[in-house]
């Protein structure tokens, strides 16, 4: 077998891990960046615990998930930012018409409201997404803090802005300072990378945003509206 054939076989094996609706459901749920128990994922996916356990085993073996056990509970999370990027990028490639056709009818006002909340503001693994993520990205770009002309890159002024805003930004690791992540609801790129993660972490720690329920949706608080207006000139009405 040639090296090329070996890579093709490995790619096909990797793709097969995602090419299952139950496993895809788990991967999308875990984009919230938190660890879930096997039981929580089974209920979320609507399958038996034994079925879900088999799927999780494949995802862990394939390197997409990591797991840890605490007592009787088995917790799993995405194996890292690279896996989250692959899942989000794949989700963004699904044509909107195809996604709508595959969706079952929305069951009531509560479910419709949850979908609206996800589109308005959510976490994408460890950074902000939805209309909130796009608004922040546009504001950073408009103020000359972020460049998008040759790929995402923080400017010198952008790095200084993080320090002045009191947002710790660690640029010592291998992760890029800024990276474009295609938003699957807005169909435009939002800010990811070390800067996106730092901003999201600060927004949650400072309670600019609070999580809504157990999904990835977040809500901008009144203090968050004030902070984003003062720091980036974002109109509070655009965050509601």
């Amino acid at each position: 077998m040639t090296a090329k054939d070996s890579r093709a076989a490995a790619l096909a094996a990797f793709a097969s891990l995602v090419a299952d609706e139950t496993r895809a459901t788990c991967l999308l749920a875990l984009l919230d960046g938190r660890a879930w128990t096997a039981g929580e994922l089974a209920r979320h996916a609507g399958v038996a615990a034994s079925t879900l356990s088999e799927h999780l085993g494949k995802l862990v073996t394939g390197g997409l998930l990591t797991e840890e056990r605490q007592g009787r509970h088995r917790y799993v999370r995405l194996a890292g930012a690279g896996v989250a990027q692959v899942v989000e990028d794949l989700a963004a490639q699904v044509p909107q018409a195809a996604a709508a056709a595959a969706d079952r009818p929305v069951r009531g006002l509560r479910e419709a409201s949850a979908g609206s909340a996800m589109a308005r503001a959510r976490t994408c693994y460890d950074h902000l997404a939805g209309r909130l993520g796009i608004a922040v990205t546009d504001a950073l770009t408009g103020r000359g803090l972020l460049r998008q002309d040759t790929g995402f890159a923080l400017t010198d002024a952008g790095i200084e802005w993080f320090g002045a805003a009191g947002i710790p930004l660690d640029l010592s690791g291998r992760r890029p300072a800024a990276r474009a992540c295609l938003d699957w609801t807005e169909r435009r790129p939002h800010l990811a990378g070390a800067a996106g993660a730092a901003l999201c972490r600060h927004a949650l720690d400072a309670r600019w945003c609070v999580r809504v329920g157990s999904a990835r949706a977040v809500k901008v608080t009144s203090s968050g509206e004030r902070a984003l207006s003062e720091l980036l000139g974002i109109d509070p009405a655009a965050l509601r």
Side-chain angles (χ1 to χ4, degrees), residues 16 43 74 114 191:
S16 71
R43 289 191 293 274
R74 178 190 188 188
L191 176 64

Side-chain angles (χ1 to χ4, degrees), residues 146-218:
L146 176 70
R147 294 183 57 182
Q148 297 191 40
D149 51 351
T150 55
F152 273 29
L154 286 182
T155 63
D156 290 340
I159 295 174
E160 292 175 2
W161 178 87
F162 273 83
I167 303 174
L169 179 59
D170 182 7
L171 301 179
S172 62
R174 298 175 58 186
R175 192 175 188 184
R179 179 181 65 77
C181 179
L182 184 60
D183 196 292
W184 62 267
T185 52
E186 295 298 305
R187 303 289 162 148
R188 293 178 54 203
H190 56 241
L191 176 64
L199 186 54
C200 179
R201 184 167 54 249
H202 185 79
L204 291 170
D205 289 346
R207 294 189 67 79
W208 293 356
C209 298
V210 293
R211 295 190 182 274
V212 179
S214 60
R216 291 194 282 147
V218 297

Side-chain angles (χ1 to χ4, degrees), residues 37-137:
T37 66
E40 288 170 337
L41 282 172
R43 289 191 293 274
H44 179 74
V47 298
S50 57
T51 300
L52 196 280
S53 181
E54 181 180 347
H55 286 297
L56 291 184
K58 292 180 179 179
L59 291 170
V60 170
T61 300
L64 295 180
L65 301 183
T66 59
E67 67 175 338
E68 60 183 71
R69 293 184 181 272
Q70 293 184 9
R72 295 182 303 165
H73 295 293
R74 178 190 188 188
Y75 288 87
V76 294
R77 65 171 72 243
L78 295 181
V83 174
Q85 178 182 346
V86 169
V87 175
E88 186 76 5
D89 286 350
L90 285 173
Q93 297 306 314
V94 179
Q96 289 179 313
D103 283 341
R104 58 172 173 74
V106 175
R107 296 175 181 172
L109 179 60
R110 182 175 181 179
E111 189 169 330
S113 298
S116 237
M118 282 278 285
R120 181 169 54 249
R122 65 182 182 278
T123 56
C124 173
Y125 187 56
D126 62 358
H127 53 272
L128 298 172
R131 292 198 298 275
L132 169 61
I134 294 297
V136 168
T137 301

